[in-house]
Amino acid sequence: ILNVEQSPQSLHVQEGDSTNFTCSFPSSNFYALHWYRWETAKSPEALFVMTLNGDEKKKGRISATLNTKEGYSYLYIKGSQPEDSATYLCAFGGGGGADGLTFGKGTHLIIQP
Amino acid sequence: GAGVSQSPRYKVAKRGQDVALRCDPISGHVSLFWYQQALGQGPEFLTYFQNEAQLDKSGLPSDRFFAERPEGSVSTLKIQRTQQEDSAVYLCASSLGLTSISGQETQYFGPGTRLLVL
């Protein structure tokens, strides 16, 4: 059974502050690490797909890094805004015949004005 | 363009009732996935289609769960004789299907169907 862990489970951040959270995953049979943002009553939105050790991706104020050797990824949000409030999910895309993604439980982020 | 759509958005069923959940993927997407998200958990993989072929159904929790995609586009997830433990959000996702390693492609999700079994 694959274990994808996210921490913290929830996070309250003041508007304008920067924040980050962690996803840890198995370092074997690695093919890709995905990050999604899921706002209430909406569809999960794809943020990044990362496949190579050392990958860094950026989208506006959000960025992510990947370390496949030690099995972790960080998601960073710079200058948090109220619209960043959402659940952030990471998902492990593995090989060995696994067709679906294995998700963590998510980090629930609340931005306080 | 249009994203992935799912219907109904909400479904309340009495225990023992059969339900059918529909997914309309992005046009032209070869791969289609179903996930189940129980309260407080992350989404869990149920099944995977490549066009009309169901290539992986290892995540279906019991033989009460059945999925089909007969023409390689719209998919239906059917749950027979629903139980309270089936209460969850059911998510559908599609991807282009250009690579043999499906885990490397971005999956585009619908808004989900929230099923409550009483």
Coordinates of all heavy atoms in Angstrom, one line a residue, chain A residues 5-103:
Chain A
E5 N 1.8 11.2 2.5 CA 1.5 12.0 3.7 C 1.6 13.5 3.4 O 2.6 13.9 2.7 CB 2.4 11.6 4.8 CG 2.4 10.2 5.2 CD 1.2 9.8 6.1 OE1 0.6 10.7 6.6 OE2 1.0 8.6 6.2
Q6 N 0.6 14.3 3.9 CA 0.7 15.7 3.7 C 0.7 16.3 5.1 O -0.1 15.9 6.0 CB -0.5 16.2 2.9 CG -0.4 15.9 1.5 CD -1.4 16.6 0.6 OE1 -2.3 15.9 0.1 NE2 -1.2 17.9 0.5
S7 N 1.5 17.4 5.3 CA 1.5 18.1 6.6 C 1.7 19.6 6.3 O 2.4 20.0 5.4 CB 2.5 17.6 7.5 OG 3.8 17.8 6.9
P8 N 1.0 20.5 7.1 CA 0.1 20.1 8.2 C -1.3 19.7 7.6 O -1.5 19.9 6.4 CB 0.0 21.4 9.0 CG 0.2 22.5 8.0 CD 1.2 21.9 7.0
Q9 N -2.1 19.2 8.4 CA -3.5 18.9 8.0 C -4.3 20.2 7.7 O -5.1 20.2 6.7 CB -4.2 18.1 9.0 CG -5.5 17.4 8.6 CD -6.0 16.5 9.7 OE1 -5.4 16.2 10.7 NE2 -7.3 16.1 9.6
S10 N -4.1 21.2 8.5 CA -4.7 22.5 8.2 C -3.8 23.6 8.7 O -2.9 23.4 9.5 CB -6.1 22.6 8.9 OG -5.9 22.6 10.3
L11 N -4.1 24.8 8.1 CA -3.2 25.9 8.3 C -4.0 27.2 8.2 O -4.7 27.4 7.2 CB -2.1 25.8 7.2 CG -0.9 26.7 7.2 CD1 -0.1 26.5 8.5 CD2 0.0 26.3 6.1
H12 N -3.8 28.1 9.2 CA -4.4 29.4 9.1 C -3.2 30.4 8.9 O -2.2 30.4 9.7 CB -5.1 29.8 10.4 CG -6.4 29.0 10.6 ND1 -6.4 27.6 10.9 CD2 -7.7 29.4 10.6 CE1 -7.7 27.3 10.9 NE2 -8.5 28.3 10.8
V13 N -3.4 31.2 7.9 CA -2.3 32.2 7.6 C -2.9 33.6 7.4 O -4.0 33.7 6.9 CB -1.6 31.8 6.3 CG1 -0.6 32.8 5.8 CG2 -0.9 30.4 6.4
Q14 N -2.2 34.6 7.9 CA -2.6 36.0 7.7 C -2.4 36.4 6.2 O -1.4 36.0 5.6 CB -1.8 36.9 8.6 CG -2.2 36.9 10.1 CD -3.6 37.4 10.3 OE1 -4.4 36.6 10.9 NE2 -4.0 38.6 9.9
E15 N -3.4 37.2 5.7 CA -3.3 37.7 4.4 C -1.9 38.5 4.2 O -1.6 39.3 5.1 CB -4.4 38.6 4.1 CG -4.4 39.2 2.7 CD -5.7 40.1 2.4 OE1 -6.6 40.1 3.3 OE2 -5.7 40.7 1.4
G16 N -1.2 38.2 3.2 CA 0.0 38.8 2.9 C 1.2 38.0 3.3 O 2.4 38.2 2.8
D17 N 1.0 37.1 4.3 CA 2.1 36.2 4.7 C 2.4 35.1 3.6 O 1.5 34.8 2.8 CB 1.8 35.6 6.0 CG 1.9 36.5 7.2 OD1 2.3 37.7 7.0 OD2 1.5 36.2 8.3
S18 N 3.6 34.6 3.7 CA 4.0 33.5 2.8 C 3.9 32.2 3.6 O 4.0 32.2 4.9 CB 5.4 33.7 2.3 OG 5.4 34.8 1.4
T19 N 3.7 31.1 3.0 CA 3.5 29.8 3.7 C 4.0 28.7 2.8 O 4.2 28.8 1.6 CB 2.0 29.6 4.0 OG1 1.9 28.5 4.9 CG2 1.1 29.4 2.8
N20 N 4.2 27.5 3.4 CA 4.5 26.3 2.7 C 4.1 25.1 3.4 O 3.8 25.1 4.6 CB 6.1 26.3 2.4 CG 6.8 26.1 3.7 OD1 7.0 25.0 4.2 ND2 7.3 27.2 4.3
F21 N 3.9 24.0 2.6 CA 3.5 22.8 3.2 C 4.1 21.6 2.4 O 4.7 21.8 1.4 CB 2.0 22.6 3.4 CG 1.1 23.4 2.4 CD1 0.7 22.8 1.3 CD2 0.7 24.7 2.7 CE1 -0.1 23.5 0.4 CE2 -0.1 25.4 1.9 CZ -0.5 24.8 0.7
T22 N 4.0 20.4 3.0 CA 4.9 19.3 2.6 C 4.0 18.1 2.1 O 3.0 17.9 2.7 CB 5.7 18.8 3.8 OG1 6.4 19.9 4.3 CG2 6.7 17.8 3.4
C23 N 4.6 17.4 1.2 CA 4.1 16.1 0.7 C 5.2 15.1 0.7 O 6.2 15.4 0.1 CB 3.5 16.3 -0.7 SG 2.9 14.7 -1.4
S24 N 5.0 14.0 1.4 CA 6.0 12.9 1.4 C 5.4 11.7 0.7 O 4.3 11.4 0.9 CB 6.6 12.6 2.8 OG 5.5 12.1 3.6
F25 N 6.3 11.0 0.0 CA 5.8 9.9 -0.9 C 6.9 8.8 -1.0 O 8.1 9.1 -0.7 CB 5.4 10.4 -2.2 CG 6.5 11.2 -2.9 CD1 7.5 10.6 -3.7 CD2 6.5 12.6 -2.8 CE1 8.5 11.4 -4.3 CE2 7.5 13.4 -3.4 CZ 8.5 12.8 -4.1
P26 N 6.5 7.6 -1.5 CA 7.6 6.6 -1.6 C 8.6 7.1 -2.7 O 8.3 7.7 -3.7 CB 6.8 5.4 -2.2 CG 5.4 5.7 -1.8 CD 5.2 7.2 -1.8
S27 N 9.9 6.7 -2.4 CA 11.0 7.1 -3.3 C 11.2 6.0 -4.4 O 12.0 6.2 -5.3 CB 12.2 7.4 -2.6 OG 12.6 6.4 -1.7
S28 N 10.5 4.9 -4.3 CA 10.7 3.9 -5.3 C 9.5 3.9 -6.3 O 8.4 4.3 -6.0 CB 10.8 2.5 -4.7 OG 9.7 2.2 -3.9
N29 N 9.8 3.4 -7.5 CA 8.7 3.3 -8.5 C 8.1 4.7 -8.8 O 6.9 4.8 -9.0 CB 7.6 2.3 -8.2 CG 8.0 0.9 -8.5 OD1 8.8 0.7 -9.4 ND2 7.4 0.0 -7.8
F30 N 8.9 5.7 -8.7 CA 8.4 7.1 -8.9 C 8.3 7.4 -10.4 O 9.2 7.2 -11.1 CB 9.3 8.1 -8.2 CG 8.9 9.5 -8.4 CD1 7.9 10.1 -7.6 CD2 9.4 10.3 -9.5 CE1 7.5 11.4 -7.8 CE2 9.0 11.6 -9.7 CZ 8.0 12.1 -8.9
Y31 N 7.1 8.0 -10.8 CA 7.0 8.5 -12.1 C 6.6 10.0 -12.1 O 7.0 10.7 -13.0 CB 5.9 7.7 -12.9 CG 6.5 6.4 -13.4 CD1 6.5 5.3 -12.6 CD2 7.1 6.3 -14.6 CE1 7.1 4.1 -13.0 CE2 7.6 5.1 -15.1 CZ 7.6 4.0 -14.3 OH 8.2 2.9 -14.7
A32 N 5.8 10.4 -11.2 CA 5.3 11.8 -11.2 C 4.7 12.2 -9.8 O 4.2 11.4 -9.1 CB 4.3 12.1 -12.3
L33 N 4.8 13.5 -9.5 CA 4.1 14.0 -8.3 C 3.3 15.2 -8.8 O 3.7 16.1 -9.5 CB 5.2 14.5 -7.3 CG 4.8 14.8 -5.9 CD1 4.1 16.2 -5.7 CD2 4.0 13.7 -5.3
H34 N 2.0 15.1 -8.5 CA 1.0 16.1 -8.9 C 0.6 17.0 -7.7 O 0.4 16.5 -6.6 CB -0.2 15.5 -9.4 CG 0.0 14.6 -10.6 ND1 -0.5 14.8 -11.9 CD2 0.6 13.4 -10.7 CE1 -0.2 13.9 -12.7 NE2 0.5 13.0 -12.0
W35 N 0.3 18.3 -7.9 CA -0.3 19.1 -6.9 C -1.6 19.7 -7.5 O -1.7 20.1 -8.7 CB 0.6 20.3 -6.6 CG 1.7 20.0 -5.6 CD1 3.0 19.8 -5.9 CD2 1.6 19.9 -4.2 NE1 3.7 19.6 -4.7 CE2 2.9 19.6 -3.7 CE3 0.5 20.0 -3.3 CZ2 3.1 19.5 -2.3 CZ3 0.8 19.9 -1.9 CH2 2.0 19.6 -1.5
Y36 N -2.7 19.6 -6.7 CA -4.0 20.1 -7.1 C -4.5 21.1 -6.0 O -4.2 21.0 -4.8 CB -5.0 19.0 -7.2 CG -4.9 18.1 -8.4 CD1 -4.0 17.0 -8.4 CD2 -5.6 18.4 -9.5 CE1 -3.9 16.2 -9.5 CE2 -5.5 17.6 -10.7 CZ -4.6 16.5 -10.6 OH -4.5 15.7 -11.8
R37 N -5.3 22.1 -6.4 CA -5.9 23.0 -5.5 C -7.4 22.7 -5.7 O -8.0 22.7 -6.8 CB -5.7 24.5 -5.9 CG -6.5 25.4 -5.1 CD -6.0 26.9 -5.2 NE -6.1 27.3 -6.6 CZ -5.4 28.3 -7.1 NH1 -4.6 29.0 -6.4 NH2 -5.6 28.6 -8.4
W38 N -8.1 22.5 -4.5 CA -9.5 22.2 -4.5 C -10.3 23.2 -3.7 O -10.2 23.1 -2.4 CB -9.7 20.8 -4.1 CG -11.1 20.2 -4.4 CD1 -12.1 20.8 -5.0 CD2 -11.5 18.9 -4.0 NE1 -13.2 19.9 -5.2 CE2 -12.8 18.7 -4.6 CE3 -11.0 17.8 -3.4 CZ2 -13.6 17.6 -4.4 CZ3 -11.7 16.7 -3.2 CH2 -13.0 16.5 -3.7
E39 N -11.1 24.0 -4.3 CA -11.9 25.0 -3.6 C -13.3 24.3 -3.4 O -13.7 23.6 -4.3 CB -12.1 26.3 -4.4 CG -10.8 27.1 -4.5 CD -11.0 28.3 -5.4 OE1 -11.7 29.2 -4.9 OE2 -10.4 28.4 -6.5
T40 N -13.9 24.7 -2.4 CA -15.3 24.1 -2.0 C -16.2 24.3 -3.2 O -16.3 25.4 -3.8 CB -15.8 24.8 -0.8 OG1 -14.8 24.7 0.3 CG2 -17.1 24.2 -0.3
A41 N -16.9 23.3 -3.5 CA -18.0 23.2 -4.5 C -17.4 23.4 -6.0 O -18.2 23.6 -6.9 CB -19.1 24.3 -4.3
K42 N -16.1 23.3 -6.1 CA -15.5 23.4 -7.5 C -14.8 22.1 -7.8 O -14.6 21.2 -7.0 CB -14.6 24.6 -7.5 CG -15.3 25.9 -7.4 CD -14.3 27.1 -7.7 CE -15.0 28.4 -7.6 NZ -14.1 29.5 -7.9
S43 N -14.3 22.0 -9.0 CA -13.5 20.9 -9.4 C -12.0 21.1 -8.9 O -11.5 22.2 -8.9 CB -13.4 20.7 -10.9 OG -14.7 20.6 -11.5
P44 N -11.4 20.0 -8.5 CA -9.9 20.1 -8.2 C -9.2 20.7 -9.5 O -9.4 20.2 -10.6 CB -9.5 18.7 -7.9 CG -10.7 18.0 -7.5 CD -11.8 18.6 -8.3
E45 N -8.3 21.6 -9.2 CA -7.6 22.3 -10.3 C -6.2 21.9 -10.3 O -5.5 22.0 -9.3 CB -7.7 23.8 -10.1 CG -6.9 24.6 -11.1 CD -6.6 26.1 -10.6 OE1 -7.2 26.5 -9.6 OE2 -5.9 26.8 -11.3
A46 N -5.7 21.4 -11.4 CA -4.3 21.0 -11.5 C -3.4 22.2 -11.4 O -3.5 23.2 -12.1 CB -4.0 20.2 -12.8
L47 N -2.4 22.1 -10.5 CA -1.4 23.1 -10.4 C -0.1 22.7 -11.1 O 0.4 23.5 -12.0 CB -1.1 23.4 -8.9 CG -2.2 24.0 -8.1 CD1 -1.8 24.1 -6.6 CD2 -2.5 25.4 -8.6
F48 N 0.5 21.6 -10.7 CA 1.8 21.2 -11.3 C 1.8 19.7 -11.4 O 1.2 18.9 -10.7 CB 2.9 21.6 -10.3 CG 3.0 23.0 -9.9 CD1 2.8 23.4 -8.6 CD2 3.3 24.0 -10.9 CE1 2.8 24.7 -8.2 CE2 3.3 25.3 -10.5 CZ 3.1 25.7 -9.2
V49 N 2.6 19.2 -12.4 CA 3.1 17.8 -12.5 C 4.6 17.9 -12.6 O 5.1 18.6 -13.4 CB 2.6 17.1 -13.8 CG1 3.0 15.7 -13.8 CG2 1.0 17.2 -13.9
M50 N 5.2 17.2 -11.7 CA 6.7 17.2 -11.7 C 7.2 15.8 -11.8 O 6.7 14.8 -11.2 CB 7.2 17.8 -10.4 CG 6.8 19.3 -10.3 SD 7.5 20.1 -8.9 CE 6.4 19.4 -7.6
T51 N 8.2 15.6 -12.6 CA 8.7 14.2 -12.9 C 10.2 14.0 -12.6 O 10.6 12.9 -12.4 CB 8.4 13.9 -14.4 OG1 9.1 14.8 -15.2 CG2 6.9 13.8 -14.7
L52 N 11.0 15.1 -12.6 CA 12.4 14.9 -12.4 C 12.9 15.4 -11.0 O 12.4 16.5 -10.6 CB 13.1 15.7 -13.5 CG 12.8 15.3 -14.9 CD1 13.5 16.2 -15.9 CD2 13.3 13.8 -15.1
N53 N 13.8 14.7 -10.5 CA 14.4 15.1 -9.2 C 15.0 16.5 -9.4 O 15.7 16.8 -10.3 CB 15.5 14.1 -8.8 CG 16.1 14.5 -7.4 OD1 15.3 14.8 -6.5 ND2 17.4 14.4 -7.3
G54 N 14.7 17.4 -8.4 CA 15.2 18.8 -8.5 C 14.3 19.7 -9.3 O 14.5 20.9 -9.3
D55 N 13.2 19.2 -9.8 CA 12.2 20.0 -10.6 C 11.8 21.1 -9.7 O 11.5 21.0 -8.5 CB 11.0 19.2 -10.9 CG 11.0 18.9 -12.4 OD1 11.8 19.3 -13.2 OD2 10.0 18.1 -12.8
E56 N 11.6 22.3 -10.3 CA 11.0 23.4 -9.6 C 10.0 24.0 -10.6 O 10.3 24.3 -11.7 CB 12.0 24.5 -9.2 CG 12.9 24.1 -8.1 CD 13.8 25.2 -7.5 OE1 13.4 26.4 -7.7 OE2 14.8 25.0 -7.0
K57 N 8.7 24.2 -10.1 CA 7.7 24.8 -11.0 C 7.1 26.0 -10.4 O 7.0 26.1 -9.1 CB 6.6 23.7 -11.3 CG 7.1 22.5 -12.0 CD 6.8 22.5 -13.5 CE 7.4 21.3 -14.2 NZ 6.5 20.7 -15.1
K58 N 6.6 26.9 -11.2 CA 6.1 28.2 -10.6 C 4.8 28.6 -11.5 O 4.9 28.5 -12.7 CB 7.1 29.3 -10.7 CG 6.7 30.5 -10.0 CD 7.8 31.6 -9.9 CE 7.3 32.8 -9.2 NZ 8.3 33.9 -9.2
K59 N 3.8 29.0 -10.7 CA 2.6 29.5 -11.4 C 2.1 30.7 -10.6 O 1.5 30.6 -9.5 CB 1.5 28.4 -11.4 CG 0.3 28.7 -12.1 CD -0.7 27.5 -12.1 CE -1.9 27.8 -12.9 NZ -2.8 26.6 -12.9
G60 N 2.5 31.9 -11.1 CA 2.1 33.1 -10.3 C 2.8 33.1 -9.0 O 4.1 33.1 -8.9
R61 N 2.1 33.2 -7.9 CA 2.7 33.3 -6.5 C 2.9 31.9 -5.9 O 3.4 31.8 -4.8 CB 1.7 34.1 -5.6 CG 1.6 35.6 -6.0 CD 0.6 36.3 -5.1 NE -0.7 35.9 -5.3 CZ -1.3 35.0 -4.5 NH1 -0.7 34.5 -3.4 NH2 -2.6 34.7 -4.7
I62 N 2.6 30.9 -6.7 CA 2.7 29.5 -6.1 C 3.8 28.8 -6.8 O 4.0 28.9 -8.1 CB 1.4 28.7 -6.4 CG1 0.2 29.4 -5.8 CG2 1.5 27.3 -5.8 CD1 -1.1 28.7 -6.0
S63 N 4.6 28.1 -6.0 CA 5.8 27.3 -6.6 C 5.9 26.0 -5.9 O 5.3 25.8 -4.8 CB 7.1 28.1 -6.5 OG 7.4 28.4 -5.2
A64 N 6.6 25.1 -6.5 CA 6.7 23.7 -5.9 C 8.1 23.2 -6.2 O 8.7 23.5 -7.3 CB 5.7 22.8 -6.4
T65 N 8.7 22.4 -5.3 CA 9.9 21.8 -5.5 C 9.8 20.3 -5.3 O 8.8 19.8 -4.7 CB 11.0 22.3 -4.6 OG1 10.6 22.0 -3.2 CG2 11.2 23.8 -4.7
L66 N 10.7 19.5 -5.9 CA 10.6 18.0 -5.8 C 12.0 17.4 -5.5 O 13.0 17.7 -6.1 CB 10.1 17.5 -7.2 CG 10.0 16.0 -7.3 CD1 8.9 15.5 -6.5 CD2 9.8 15.6 -8.8
N67 N 11.9 16.5 -4.5 CA 13.1 15.7 -4.2 C 12.7 14.2 -4.2 O 12.0 13.7 -3.3 CB 13.7 16.1 -2.8 CG 14.9 15.3 -2.5 OD1 15.1 14.1 -2.8 ND2 15.8 16.0 -1.8
T68 N 13.0 13.5 -5.3 CA 12.6 12.2 -5.5 C 13.5 11.2 -4.7 O 13.0 10.1 -4.3 CB 12.6 11.7 -7.0 OG1 13.9 11.9 -7.5 CG2 11.6 12.6 -7.8
K69 N 14.7 11.6 -4.4 CA 15.6 10.6 -3.7 C 15.2 10.4 -2.3 O 15.3 9.3 -1.7 CB 17.0 11.2 -3.8 CG 17.6 11.1 -5.2 CD 19.0 11.5 -5.3 CE 19.5 11.4 -6.7 NZ 20.9 11.9 -6.9
E70 N 14.7 11.6 -1.7 CA 14.3 11.5 -0.3 C 12.7 11.4 -0.2 O 12.2 11.2 0.9 CB 14.8 12.6 0.5 CG 16.4 12.6 0.6 CD 16.9 13.7 1.4 OE1 16.3 14.1 2.5 OE2 18.0 14.3 1.0
G71 N 12.0 11.6 -1.3 CA 10.6 11.4 -1.3 C 9.8 12.5 -0.7 O 9.0 12.3 0.2
Y72 N 10.1 13.8 -1.1 CA 9.2 14.8 -0.6 C 9.1 16.0 -1.6 O 10.0 16.1 -2.5 CB 9.7 15.4 0.7 CG 11.1 16.1 0.7 CD1 11.2 17.4 0.3 CD2 12.2 15.4 1.1 CE1 12.4 18.0 0.3 CE2 13.5 16.0 1.1 CZ 13.6 17.3 0.7 OH 14.8 17.9 0.6
S73 N 8.0 16.7 -1.5 CA 7.8 17.9 -2.3 C 7.3 19.0 -1.4 O 6.5 18.7 -0.5 CB 6.8 17.6 -3.4 OG 6.5 18.8 -4.2
Y74 N 7.7 20.3 -1.7 CA 7.2 21.4 -1.0 C 6.3 22.3 -1.9 O 6.7 22.4 -3.1 CB 8.3 22.3 -0.4 CG 9.1 21.6 0.7 CD1 10.5 21.7 0.6 CD2 8.5 21.0 1.8 CE1 11.3 21.1 1.6 CE2 9.3 20.4 2.7 CZ 10.7 20.5 2.7 OH 11.4 19.9 3.6
L75 N 5.2 22.8 -1.4 CA 4.4 23.8 -2.1 C 4.6 25.1 -1.4 O 4.4 25.1 -0.1 CB 3.0 23.4 -2.2 CG 2.1 24.2 -3.2 CD1 2.4 23.8 -4.6 CD2 0.7 24.2 -2.8
Y76 N 4.9 26.2 -2.1 CA 5.1 27.5 -1.5 C 4.0 28.4 -2.0 O 3.8 28.4 -3.2 CB 6.5 28.1 -1.8 CG 7.6 27.2 -1.3 CD1 8.2 26.3 -2.1 CD2 8.2 27.4 -0.1 CE1 9.3 25.5 -1.7 CE2 9.3 26.7 0.4 CZ 9.8 25.7 -0.5 OH 10.9 25.0 -0.1
I77 N 3.5 29.3 -1.2 CA 2.6 30.4 -1.6 C 3.2 31.7 -1.0 O 3.3 31.8 0.2 CB 1.1 30.2 -1.1 CG1 0.6 28.8 -1.6 CG2 0.3 31.3 -1.6 CD1 -0.8 28.5 -1.2
K78 N 3.5 32.6 -1.9 CA 4.1 33.9 -1.5 C 3.0 34.9 -1.4 O 2.1 35.0 -2.4 CB 5.1 34.2 -2.6 CG 5.9 35.5 -2.3 CD 7.0 35.7 -3.4 CE 7.7 37.0 -3.1 NZ 8.7 37.3 -4.2
G79 N 3.0 35.7 -0.4 CA 2.0 36.8 -0.2 C 0.6 36.3 -0.3 O -0.2 36.7 -1.2
S80 N 0.1 35.5 0.6 CA -1.2 34.8 0.6 C -2.3 35.8 0.4 O -2.3 36.9 1.0 CB -1.4 34.0 1.8 OG -0.3 33.0 2.0
Q81 N -3.3 35.4 -0.4 CA -4.5 36.2 -0.7 C -5.7 35.4 -0.3 O -5.6 34.1 -0.3 CB -4.6 36.6 -2.1 CG -3.4 37.5 -2.6 CD -3.4 38.8 -1.9 OE1 -4.4 39.5 -1.8 NE2 -2.2 39.1 -1.3
P82 N -6.8 36.0 0.0 CA -8.0 35.2 0.4 C -8.4 34.2 -0.6 O -8.9 33.1 -0.2 CB -9.1 36.3 0.6 CG -8.4 37.6 0.9 CD -7.1 37.5 0.2
E83 N -8.2 34.4 -1.9 CA -8.6 33.5 -2.9 C -7.7 32.2 -2.9 O -8.0 31.3 -3.6 CB -8.6 34.1 -4.3 CG -7.2 34.7 -4.7 CD -7.1 36.2 -4.4 OE1 -7.8 36.7 -3.5 OE2 -6.4 36.8 -5.2
D84 N -6.6 32.2 -2.1 CA -5.8 31.1 -2.0 C -6.4 30.0 -1.0 O -5.9 28.9 -0.9 CB -4.4 31.4 -1.5 CG -3.6 32.3 -2.5 OD1 -3.8 32.2 -3.7 OD2 -2.8 33.1 -2.0
S85 N -7.4 30.4 -0.3 CA -8.0 29.5 0.6 C -8.6 28.3 -0.1 O -9.4 28.5 -1.0 CB -9.2 30.2 1.4 OG -8.7 31.2 2.2
A86 N -8.2 27.1 0.2 CA -8.6 25.9 -0.5 C -7.9 24.7 0.2 O -7.1 24.9 1.1 CB -8.1 26.0 -2.0
T87 N -8.2 23.5 -0.3 CA -7.5 22.3 0.1 C -6.5 22.0 -1.0 O -6.8 22.0 -2.2 CB -8.4 21.1 0.3 OG1 -9.3 21.4 1.4 CG2 -7.6 19.9 0.6
Y88 N -5.2 21.8 -0.6 CA -4.2 21.5 -1.5 C -3.8 20.0 -1.4 O -3.5 19.5 -0.3 CB -2.9 22.4 -1.3 CG -3.2 23.8 -1.6 CD1 -3.9 24.7 -0.7 CD2 -2.9 24.4 -2.9 CE1 -4.2 26.0 -1.1 CE2 -3.2 25.7 -3.2 CZ -3.8 26.5 -2.3 OH -4.1 27.8 -2.6
L89 N -4.0 19.3 -2.5 CA -3.8 17.9 -2.5 C -2.5 17.6 -3.3 O -2.3 18.2 -4.4 CB -4.9 17.2 -3.2 CG -6.3 17.2 -2.5 CD1 -7.4 16.8 -3.5 CD2 -6.3 16.2 -1.4
C90 N -1.7 16.6 -2.8 CA -0.6 16.1 -3.7 C -1.0 14.7 -4.0 O -1.7 14.0 -3.3 CB 0.7 16.2 -3.0 SG 1.0 15.0 -1.6
A91 N -0.5 14.2 -5.1 CA -0.8 12.9 -5.6 C 0.4 12.3 -6.3 O 1.1 12.9 -7.1 CB -2.0 12.9 -6.6
F92 N 0.7 11.0 -6.0 CA 1.8 10.3 -6.5 C 1.4 9.4 -7.7 O 0.4 8.7 -7.6 CB 2.3 9.3 -5.3 CG 3.4 8.4 -5.7 CD1 4.7 8.8 -5.7 CD2 3.1 7.1 -5.9 CE1 5.7 7.9 -5.9 CE2 4.1 6.1 -6.2 CZ 5.4 6.5 -6.2
G93 N 2.1 9.6 -8.8 CA 1.9 8.8 -9.9 C 3.0 7.8 -10.0 O 4.2 8.1 -10.3
G94 N 2.7 6.5 -9.8 CA 3.7 5.5 -9.7 C 3.6 4.5 -10.9 O 2.7 4.5 -11.6
G95 N 4.6 3.7 -11.0 CA 4.7 2.7 -12.1 C 4.2 1.4 -11.6 O 3.4 1.3 -10.6
G96 N 4.7 0.4 -12.1 CA 4.4 -1.0 -11.7 C 3.0 -1.4 -11.9 O 2.4 -2.1 -11.1
G97 N 2.4 -0.8 -12.9 CA 1.0 -1.2 -13.2 C -0.1 -0.3 -12.5 O -1.3 -0.6 -12.7
A98 N 0.4 0.6 -11.8 CA -0.6 1.5 -11.1 C -1.0 2.6 -12.0 O -0.3 3.4 -12.4 CB 0.1 2.1 -9.8
D99 N -2.3 2.5 -12.4 CA -2.8 3.5 -13.4 C -3.4 4.8 -12.7 O -3.4 5.8 -13.3 CB -3.9 2.8 -14.2 CG -3.3 1.8 -15.1 OD1 -2.4 2.1 -15.9 OD2 -3.8 0.6 -15.0
G100 N -3.9 4.6 -11.5 CA -4.5 5.8 -10.9 C -3.5 6.5 -10.1 O -2.4 6.0 -9.8
L101 N -3.8 7.7 -9.6 CA -3.0 8.5 -8.7 C -3.3 8.1 -7.3 O -4.4 7.7 -7.0 CB -3.2 10.0 -8.9 CG -3.0 10.6 -10.3 CD1 -3.3 12.1 -10.3 CD2 -1.5 10.4 -10.7
T102 N -2.3 8.2 -6.4 CA -2.5 8.0 -5.0 C -2.4 9.3 -4.3 O -1.3 9.9 -4.3 CB -1.4 7.0 -4.4 OG1 -1.5 5.8 -5.1 CG2 -1.6 6.7 -3.0
F103 N -3.4 9.7 -3.7 CA -3.5 11.0 -3.1 C -3.2 11.0 -1.6 O -3.5 10.0 -0.9 CB -4.9 11.6 -3.2 CG -5.3 12.1 -4.6 CD1 -5.7 11.3 -5.6 CD2 -5.1 13.5 -4.9 CE1 -6.0 11.8 -6.9 CE2 -5.4 14.0 -6.1 CZ -5.8 13.1 -7.1

